[in-house]
Amino acid sequence: MRASLPMYDLPALRAAHGRFWRLLRGRLVDVGIDAPVALTPDGIGPAFWTAPDLVFSQTCGMPYRTQLLGKVQLVGTPDYGLPGCPPGYYASHLIKRQKDSRQTLADFAGATAALNDTGSQSGFAALVTAMTAAGITFGNAFVTGAHAASVEAVANGTADIAAIDAVTWQLLSTHTETCAGVETFAQTDPTPGLPYICSLSVDPQQVHTATAEAIDALPQADKDLLMLKGLVAIPADHYTAVPSPDPAVLGL
């Protein structure tokens, strides 16, 4: 059996993630669900998520609707209590250098955009959707491989703009120096947050109940570190209703 918590796996959070998993695993075992003692480091990607022995993981909304639909089951969506977002939803911050005088997304027509991944809801799909709504196009775009790398690209002038998951932005701002010299100037429309998932062979309702209980049982210090407020049940059709832009829109 395998499990992972890969989406917000900053070094400063790993001990808290471990404690969360121990609480969750104990509840899973109590209801007869076999679960690994330890989380799989770097347990991420379609091959891992669709493994028949997956007990628990977290994915992004875009790969869920484009690659995982019908191959995994939704367990629930963590609520991070983000301003301007319904429970369980999130948005992306649009970022720029603090010294950049541009103030609106429309001002970035022809600019260079940094993307963490073309399979990312927060770093790609949300940005393209906002760009389209603003009636602009970027002059250039490139993939950095991670939100933190996109922030660094904006900070060092390699890129002018990026869209960063609001949870990631807060965690990077709190636990690293990555965001120095960079600021947010707008926020994208909220979409369903990063869901917890399990394999088709596991009872998702049992995992949902165990997860909610584990979140409730976490010490407040760990809840604060992980930004966890609770667990929300968001229907699959709320995820599939979100647009999935073609990377070719940005020349990728």
Side-chain angles (χ1 to χ4, degrees), residues 148-236:
S150 294
V151 176
E152 291 171 356
V154 173
N156 65 30
T158 308
D160 302 306
I161 185 173
I164 308 298
D165 170 351
V167 177
T168 298
W169 176 260
Q170 186 165 329
L171 294 174
L172 290 175
S173 298
T174 302
H175 301 290
T176 77
E177 301 298 322
T178 305
C179 301
V182 178
E183 64 184 10
T184 67
F185 70 92
Q187 181 168 295
T188 64
D189 292 336
T191 56
L194 281 64
Y196 295 138
I197 57 172
C198 65
S199 75
L200 299 178
S201 64
V202 178
D203 183 340
Q205 186 54 55
Q206 286 187 315
V207 182
H208 178 100
T209 300
T211 304
E213 291 175 351
I215 292 173
D216 287 344
L218 267 177
Q220 190 60 48
D222 283 342
K223 290 182 185 178
D224 292 343
L225 269 175
L226 300 177
M227 297 178 55
L228 285 172
K229 308 298 181 185
L231 188 67
V232 180
I234 298 178

Side-chain angles (χ1 to χ4, degrees), residues 76-164:
T77 303
D79 177 27
Y80 296 105
L82 297 170
C85 297
Y89 279 60
Y90 78 144
S92 296
H93 292 309
L94 301 185
I95 65 167
K96 65 181 184 69
R97 287 182 298 284
Q98 290 175 350
K99 294 180 179 179
D100 191 322
S101 62
R102 289 172 283 191
Q103 296 297 317
T104 70
L105 180 54
D107 295 334
F108 284 84
T112 296
L115 318 169
N116 63 320
D117 191 293
T118 55
S120 169
Q121 171 58 37
S122 56
F124 167 68
L127 180 60
V128 172
T129 300
M131 176 195 78
T132 303
I136 66 168
T137 57
F138 297 125
N140 186 35
F142 63 94
V143 174
T144 65
H147 276 307
S150 294
V151 176
E152 291 171 356
V154 173
N156 65 30
T158 308
D160 302 306
I161 185 173
I164 308 298

